């Protein structure tokens, strides 16, 4: 079986990381898998570039300009909206022709247009589409933020100026997606049960197959290692407990930094001794902007792409905190747990599926900074750290190992291929 996974980037972003890991998992379990990407960053022979860089850049810039125009030249929500009004036709590529299954992943920001997707569906090849967020099932947004207009046509979009209208951009794109998807079978896969429930409410996906399969992780690579050695490599203090916060862009409000700042302030107010024995390591872009905002010493690690160094960062931590306000199945939580690090996060999205409350981490009440602070205190001062660590590793081995996830996807591929063969 030959599978072509289509994703905008090879490495940048959580969806790219997940797609790359799935490719490796499939190849390690008897499937010949390749990735087709716009942004190729390595010399991996199983990853193929679209080529034609200037055309790719044009697709990206044109779509961004159109979004910018509809936002009345405001940058608010500029990267929360995708139109898929410009993109590349991949059906003529050799890799496409040779594939038995086309597996769409995160294909936004000028990678594929809705017209490109229509051509893929009309090619007759079985199509599996992994949803890393809600965009395939909504009009223009990636996260619904409590809005359910996508169930029956969108419109009055809160991301558009003035709240949009009944026939605004979100409603128009929703109808275009419906025209692409109706009368075509797509096997949708969500990375979490939470997203699966949301997707099944969409009018766009009525009659389509929607199942939930988590992202995989290489548990031979991400695993517990010597904490002292990891800290030495990162030049982190050996005499302090380390709270870790990770995000591609730490100032992203969706990742909940404001609640993290408030929770740390509460911790130090109630437990002033923490100022002497605890610090915060921050991994991600713009980490230096948070110095002075947190009530504990901050160790900004910046943006790191080297996987060995990222593994060191997790192993150097005593607790990992991710107060996301909305999230699917964060790779960062999975990576931390695989390294035996207990996690503290809000009860949102797919996170409660990953963290078992007070068994391998702590799930705080949504948007509750006081409970987030209690979770950090409980992990650092009260819980049996060894028991938490073992339970975290055990959860990852059982639920997110390469083999477990690959076999679930292979079942979906076989079902899609059998259906296409039956139609023929």
């Amino acid at each position: 079986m030959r599978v072509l996974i289509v994703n905008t980037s090879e490495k940048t972003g959580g969806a790219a990381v997940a797609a790359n890991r799935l490719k490796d998992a499939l190849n390690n379990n008897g499937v010949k898998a390749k990735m087709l990407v716009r942004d190729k960053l390595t010399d991996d022979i199983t990853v193929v570039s679209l080529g034609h860089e200037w055309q790719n850049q044009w697709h990206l810039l044109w779509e961004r300009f159109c979004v910018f125009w509809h936002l009345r030249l405001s940058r608010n929500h500029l990267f929360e909206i995708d139109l898929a009004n410009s993109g590349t036709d991949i059906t003529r590529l050799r890799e496409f022709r040779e594939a038995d299954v086309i597996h769409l992943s995160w294909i936004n920001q000028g990678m594929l247009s809705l017209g490109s997707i229509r051509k893929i569906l009309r090619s007759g090849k079985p199509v599996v589409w992994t949803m890393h967020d809600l965009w395939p099932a909504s009009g223009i947004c990636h996260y619904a933020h409590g809005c359910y207009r996508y169930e029956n046509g969108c419109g009055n979009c809160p991301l558009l100026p003035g709240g949009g209208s009944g026939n605004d951009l979100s409603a128009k794109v929703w109808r275009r997606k419906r025209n692409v998807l109706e009368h075509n079978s797509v096997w949708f896969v969500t990375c979490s049960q939470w997203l699966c429930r949301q997707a099944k409410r969409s009018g766009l996906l009525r009659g389509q197959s929607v199942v939930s399969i988590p992202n995989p992780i290489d548990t031979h690579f991400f695993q517990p290692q010597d904490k002292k050695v990891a800290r030495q490599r990162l030049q982190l203090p050996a005499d302090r407990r380390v709270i870790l916060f990770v995000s591609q862009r730490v100032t992203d409000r969706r990742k909940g930094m404001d609640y993290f700042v408030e929770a740390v302030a509460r911790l130090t107010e109630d437990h002033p001794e923490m100022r002497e024995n605890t610090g915060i390591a921050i991994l991600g872009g713009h980490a230096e902007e948070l110095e002075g905002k947190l009530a504990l010493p901050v160790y900004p690690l910046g943006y790191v792409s080297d996987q060995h160094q990222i593994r060191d960062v997790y192993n150097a931590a005593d607790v990992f905190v991710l107060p996301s306000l909305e999230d699917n199945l964060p790779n960062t939580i999975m990576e931390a747990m695989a390294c035996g690090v207990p996690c503290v996060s809000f009860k949102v999205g797919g996170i409660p599926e990953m963290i078992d409350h007070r068994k391998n981490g702590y799930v705080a009440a949504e948007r509750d900074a006081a409970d987030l602070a209690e979770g950090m205190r409980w992990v650092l001062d009260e819980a049996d750290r060894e028991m938490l660590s073992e339970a975290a590793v055990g959860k990852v081995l059982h639920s997110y190992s390469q083999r477990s996830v690959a076999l679930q996807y292979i079942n979906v591929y076989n079902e899609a291929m059998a259906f296409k063969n039956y139609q023929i």
Side-chain angles (χ1 to χ4, degrees):
M1 183 191 304
R2 296 176 182 269
V3 175
L4 182 65
I5 301 174
V6 185
N7 199 79
T8 301
S9 174
E10 178 185 2
K11 290 286 188 180
T12 305
V17 171
N20 227 301
R21 289 176 179 172
L22 177 60
K23 168 183 64 73
D24 292 341
L26 292 170
N27 281 318
N28 291 335
N29 285 276
V31 174
K32 294 181 179 179
K34 287 185 177 181
M35 271 183 78
L36 176 65
V37 301
R38 184 191 68 196
D39 304 328
K40 182 172 167 61
L41 302 173
T42 72
D43 58 0
D44 187 341
I45 61 173
T46 64
V47 179
V48 181
S49 171
L50 278 180
H52 306 292
E53 290 186 14
W54 69 270
Q55 290 182 358
N56 299 332
Q57 192 68 13
W58 165 253
H59 290 311
L60 171 62
L61 292 175
W62 175 246
E63 192 207 30
R64 287 305 96 195
F65 172 77
C66 292
V67 173
F68 192 43
W69 179 262
H70 282 286
L71 290 174
R72 299 175 187 170
L73 307 185
S74 168
R75 292 184 62 85
N76 289 337
H77 311 304
L78 181 58
F79 288 97
E80 297 176 54
I81 292 172
D82 272 291
L83 309 182
N85 63 330
S86 189
T88 302
D89 176 8
I90 66 170
T91 59
R92 299 178 181 178
L93 297 177
R94 177 174 59 84
E95 288 78 15
F96 183 93
R97 296 196 305 269
E98 291 178 348
D100 299 307
V101 177
I102 305 302
H103 186 149
L104 303 183
S105 187
W106 200 88
I107 45 76
N108 297 112
Q109 296 190 4
M111 175 69 180
L112 296 182
S113 66
L114 292 179
S116 306
I117 295 170
R118 178 184 283 108
K119 287 185 177 180
I120 292 169
L121 296 177
R122 287 179 175 175
S123 72
K125 290 183 180 288
V127 176
V128 174
W129 193 341
T130 292
M131 294 176 57
H132 297 280
D133 53 44
L134 192 61
W135 186 84
S138 72
I140 59 177
C141 69
H142 292 269
Y143 287 90
H145 303 293
C147 171
Y148 289 102
R149 294 184 182 90
Y150 69 91
E151 293 179 14
N152 295 297
C154 283
N156 299 302
C157 180
L159 296 179
L160 296 174
S165 66
N167 191 36
D168 61 19
L169 181 65
S170 69
K172 292 174 181 176
V173 175
W174 194 96
R175 289 196 296 271
R176 290 173 197 154
K177 286 184 178 179
R178 181 185 60 191
N179 291 337
V180 170
L181 292 174
E182 65 180 357
H183 308 307
N184 287 296
S185 295
V186 179
W187 279 257
F188 287 95
V189 177
T190 66
C191 301
S192 68
Q193 295 171 23
W194 164 77
L195 186 58
C196 189
R197 291 191 294 271
Q198 283 201 320
K200 286 181 176 180
R201 298 178 69 154
S202 172
L204 292 174
L205 270 54
R206 288 194 186 112
Q208 303 284 7
S209 170
V210 184
V211 298
S212 176
I213 302 175
N215 297 326
I217 188 170
D218 184 352
T219 53
H220 295 292
F221 181 82
F222 284 98
Q223 60 179 313
Q225 297 191 323
D226 190 293
K227 190 178 299 294
K228 290 182 180 178
V229 172
R231 289 193 181 184
Q232 286 174 354
R233 289 183 184 135
L234 298 167
Q235 297 182 324
L236 290 173
D239 59 347
R240 283 181 180 266
R241 303 177 303 181
V242 174
I243 299 170
L244 175 63
F245 180 93
V246 177
S247 177
Q248 185 178 350
R249 182 167 55 89
V250 300
T251 52
D252 183 351
R253 288 188 175 275
R254 187 172 61 84
K255 295 300 182 180
M257 176 52 76
D258 291 344
Y259 289 91
F260 183 56
V261 170
E262 182 183 346
V264 171
R266 287 174 175 267
L267 265 182
T268 53
E269 183 178 333
D270 295 339
H271 306 278
E273 71 279 2
M274 290 187 70
R275 292 189 176 93
E276 306 302 323
N277 64 20
T278 308
I280 299 172
I282 300 179
L283 177 65
H286 305 280
E288 66 283 350
E289 295 180 21
L290 297 172
E291 291 187 89
K293 294 184 179 180
L294 288 156
L296 289 172
V298 173
Y299 313 108
L301 301 174
Y303 181 80
V304 176
S305 58
D306 180 79
Q307 292 295 297
H308 291 84
Q309 193 172 351
I310 291 173
R311 182 178 59 186
D312 279 343
V313 171
Y314 289 117
N315 276 287
D318 294 291
V319 59
F320 173 58
V321 183
L322 184 65
S324 293
L325 306 183
E326 197 164 20
D327 228 325
N328 186 12
L329 199 80
N331 291 321
T332 51
I333 288 181
M334 193 182 300
E335 290 162 356
M337 291 177 65
C339 292
V341 181
C343 299
V344 178
S345 193
F346 286 141
K347 188 177 181 179
V348 298
I351 290 172
E353 300 168 30
M354 308 177 79
I355 304 173
D356 300 314
H357 187 51
R358 292 182 180 264
K359 293 180 180 179
N360 55 36
Y362 191 99
V363 182
E366 184 176 352
R367 296 176 185 253
D368 189 334
D371 200 18
L372 191 70
E374 170 59 19
M376 288 187 276
R377 186 209 65 78
W378 180 78
V379 170
L380 291 171
D381 294 330
E382 185 178 331
D384 184 328
R385 292 292 310 287
E386 186 174 346
M387 182 191 72
L388 281 183
S389 179
E390 290 179 357
V393 173
K395 176 66 175 285
V396 173
L397 289 172
H398 178 266
S399 301
Y400 310 125
S401 69
Q402 283 192 342
R403 179 167 176 77
S404 171
V405 173
L407 291 179
Q408 292 178 71
Y409 266 107
I410 290 169
N411 286 337
V412 173
Y413 297 150
N414 285 330
E415 181 182 331
M417 291 172 66
F419 179 82
K420 285 294 181 180
N421 291 334
Y422 175 77
Q423 282 189 317
I424 295 172

